[in-house]
Amino acid sequence: MIDLWFLIIAFLWTGYFVLEGFDFGVGLLAPFVSRTREEHRQALTTIGPVWDGNEVWLITAVGAMFAAFPAWYAGMFSSFYLPVVLVLVGLIVRGVGLEWRGKVDNPVWCDLGIVVGSALPAFLWGSIFADMLYGSAAAALVGGLFSLAVCVLHGAVFLALKTDGAVRLRARRFALAASAVALPVAVLALSRMDNVAPALMAVAALAAAVVLIWRRREGWAFTATAGAIALTAVAVFTELAPMPLPGLTLEAAASGPYTLTMMTWVGLIALPFILVYQGWTYWVFRKRVAVTA
């Protein structure tokens, strides 16, 4: 049960990073790929139906940690109290900006909130997990730059996939530019991983995404950037598996067998419905977003 719930939590975090990764990237890039208010609205509309649903993955991952591994939950969120609070502030500011933008005459402050609220979590989650692995400020900085650069690339590819016209062309150019930063930072960030295979595959997936976006194969490029994020998460959680925090093993951090058993039954019932519902949402809103007056 302990290993099963660690895998479930790793899966939930991976889903969060893959889905919120392009949310963050779109929020950061929207002002830069747009020249008019209509184009700005077009860019943000690509994430409009899904961004709040993507955040549910974070809530579920943290809730599962609290129930299955309370000592890990307590240690992680107390050790990284300030960056986690800043993440929450960023998510709140971004959510307010996205919700209010269409309800005010001058949305400049909403747009600023969306950019800042996207940049903070994109950088800080990478810093937190890098610090958990290596325990140094330098590693935290590199991890934050890596996650930020990959989110920008992931978001640019998503914009190129989901829009048409001028925004699509600019998003493709931003994706190529972001890859010039993301690839070398990825090599630097992942070079210390003990689990070499997923780390190398993540770098290879990022390189493949560059080729694919250059060839205007946005769908496959998005698959590649999503795969790179997922493979990075596999490498990270593989290293965390024996000891998620210094001096704390999974066995010592876990709840009792009865709690884990009850959680398993609840998860088996609820998780398939959640996955099917979110998959249906993406299917309904699968078409490209055009400029609207």
Side-chain angles (χ1 to χ4, degrees):
M1 285 294 183
I2 292 174
D3 291 337
L4 173 63
W5 273 100
F6 182 80
L7 289 174
I8 292 173
I9 289 168
F11 170 75
L12 292 171
W13 276 107
T14 301
Y16 171 69
F17 290 138
V18 169
L19 297 176
E20 278 280 81
F22 70 75
D23 275 358
F24 295 149
V26 171
L28 279 162
L29 289 173
F32 304 101
V33 299
S34 308
R35 298 293 181 271
T36 64
R37 294 185 66 170
E38 290 74 20
E39 289 181 348
H40 201 147
R41 188 185 307 115
Q42 177 191 17
L44 291 178
T45 299
T46 61
I47 62 172
V50 298
W51 68 267
D52 48 354
N54 293 341
E55 289 187 354
V56 173
W57 287 77
L58 174 62
I59 298 169
T60 309
V62 172
M65 284 180 66
F66 173 76
F69 299 99
W72 181 19
Y73 167 89
M76 175 179 171
F77 289 100
S78 60
S79 299
F80 299 100
Y81 180 80
L82 180 58
V84 168
V85 168
L86 290 175
V87 166
L88 293 177
V89 170
L91 293 176
I92 292 169
V93 169
R94 184 184 68 136
V96 170
L98 288 168
E99 292 291 345
W100 283 12
R101 190 179 189 278
K103 301 176 176 64
V104 295
D105 295 329
N106 185 8
V108 61
W109 291 108
C110 295
D111 294 337
L112 179 61
I114 294 168
V115 171
V116 174
S118 299
L120 277 176
F123 177 83
L124 289 171
W125 281 128
S127 296
I128 290 170
F129 277 89
D131 201 345
M132 286 173 61
L133 287 175
Y134 305 114
S136 71
L141 177 61
V142 172
L145 291 174
F146 167 66
S147 61
L148 180 62
V150 171
C151 284
V152 171
L153 174 58
H154 195 38
V157 173
F158 183 77
L159 277 172
L161 173 65
K162 291 289 292 178
T163 59
D164 58 12
V167 172
R168 180 185 180 187
L169 297 176
R170 294 186 200 111
R172 189 183 298 124
R173 290 197 293 268
F174 268 98
L176 293 172
S179 66
V181 178
L183 273 172
V185 174
V187 172
L188 181 62
L190 299 176
S191 61
R192 296 181 61 182
M193 290 286 184
D194 294 332
N195 196 344
V196 178
L200 289 176
M201 291 170 66
V203 175
L206 287 176
V210 178
V211 176
L212 290 163
I213 195 67
W214 181 72
R215 297 185 64 182
R216 302 187 179 186
R217 302 295 297 273
E218 292 98 344
W220 285 110
F222 181 75
T223 302
T225 53
I229 296 172
L231 288 164
T232 301
V234 169
V236 169
F237 281 97
T238 300
E239 296 205 13
L240 290 174
M243 193 173 291
L245 291 174
L248 181 67
T249 64
L250 279 179
E251 290 76 12
S255 296
Y258 178 77
T259 300
L260 295 178
T261 301
M262 293 301 297
M263 288 177 61
T264 301
W265 283 110
V266 173
L268 286 173
I269 296 170
L271 190 58
F273 287 100
I274 295 172
L275 294 176
V276 169
Y277 174 76
Q278 190 155 33
W280 175 78
T281 302
Y282 277 93
W283 175 257
V284 169
F285 296 102
R286 66 189 181 277
K287 294 182 179 180
R288 291 184 183 272
V289 178
V291 176
T292 56

